[in-house]
Amino acid sequence: NSTIESQTQYRVRELETDSAYCAELSSGFDAYLKALSGSSRRQLFNKRKRLSVMGTVEVEQVTLNDWNGFVETLNEFFRHRWNIKKMLSNQRQEFLTRLCERASINDPKFAGSLLKLDGRAISGLVDLDYAGKRYNLMAGITPDAPAGVSPGLLHFGYSLEQAAAQGITT
């Protein structure tokens, strides 16, 4: 917090705290996978084969130019799965857009993506790369996800693999 305050004109105000999980990727994605328990490895990686048998699998990186369509896709997931009208309020959408567009805070970079099966989005991740770390801010999956796989967890696995390939360590 003090680093951000010293580099910008902004004061940091903590509204709430939360627990989070951290993946150590400094030794690479393969080392990370080897350190996982068998069940975690199956959910994040091994079930990719099962998903690929169901159709063509693609991870599509989303740019800020695609932001509105991306948010609408995630809103649809939330509407149909949990009966939540909007995953992000207009104010929060605006905050994330501005955060990703600013270069004054060590250049945060939007790294959101969609996991698609036969061209249809089945999972979405709102990720942000900042100071050598990838932060997952939000995730959503389609309510009619294919049986026998966890598209959200597989999508996290793809995101972790991509982050490690880009030199992101956490």
Side-chain angles (χ1 to χ4, degrees):
N1 289 351
S2 61
T3 303
I4 293 172
E5 288 179 6
S6 67
Q7 293 178 357
T8 68
Q9 63 195 22
Y10 304 110
R11 270 194 24 217
V12 174
R13 181 176 70 145
E14 185 176 311
L15 298 176
E16 56 184 78
T17 60
D18 199 356
S19 297
Y21 295 95
C22 178
E24 174 55 50
L25 301 171
S26 60
S27 297
F29 185 68
D30 290 337
Y32 171 73
L33 280 180
K34 286 179 186 172
L36 291 175
S37 70
S39 63
S40 293
R41 191 170 32 261
R42 273 190 299 283
Q43 294 299 323
L44 287 170
F45 184 76
N46 294 353
K47 288 191 176 182
R48 289 180 182 186
K49 291 176 189 172
R50 184 180 290 179
L51 185 62
S52 68
V53 169
M54 297 176 188
T56 302
V57 178
E58 172 189 10
V59 178
E60 178 183 296
Q61 293 308 124
V62 177
T63 67
L64 286 176
N65 293 334
D66 306 321
W67 176 253
N68 291 333
F70 177 61
V71 169
E72 186 50 40
T73 298
L74 291 176
N75 280 339
E76 282 295 312
F77 291 168
F78 277 68
R79 244 189 309 279
H80 294 293
R81 190 170 182 90
W82 294 291
N83 201 25
I84 297 172
K85 292 185 182 191
K86 289 182 95 175
M87 83 160 186
L88 288 173
S89 67
N90 291 341
Q91 186 178 22
R92 287 186 175 163
Q93 285 183 48
E94 180 70 18
F95 169 78
L96 282 174
T97 301
R98 288 181 185 221
L99 179 64
C100 293
E101 290 174 343
R102 294 186 68 89
S104 63
I105 309 174
N106 291 341
D107 200 19
K109 180 179 177 274
F110 178 67
S113 60
L114 291 169
L115 177 63
K116 293 184 170 185
L117 182 62
D118 289 334
R120 184 177 67 90
I122 60 172
S123 175
L125 298 179
V126 179
D127 290 343
L128 186 72
D129 294 346
Y130 174 70
K133 298 178 183 179
R134 174 161 294 173
Y135 295 91
N136 174 256
L137 305 178
M138 187 164 291
I141 61 170
T142 183
D144 56 348
V149 295
S150 301
L153 288 173
L154 282 173
H155 198 175
F156 277 122
Y158 282 112
S159 180
L160 290 170
E161 183 176 26
Q162 180 205 38
Q166 292 174 343
I168 292 171
T169 59
T170 307

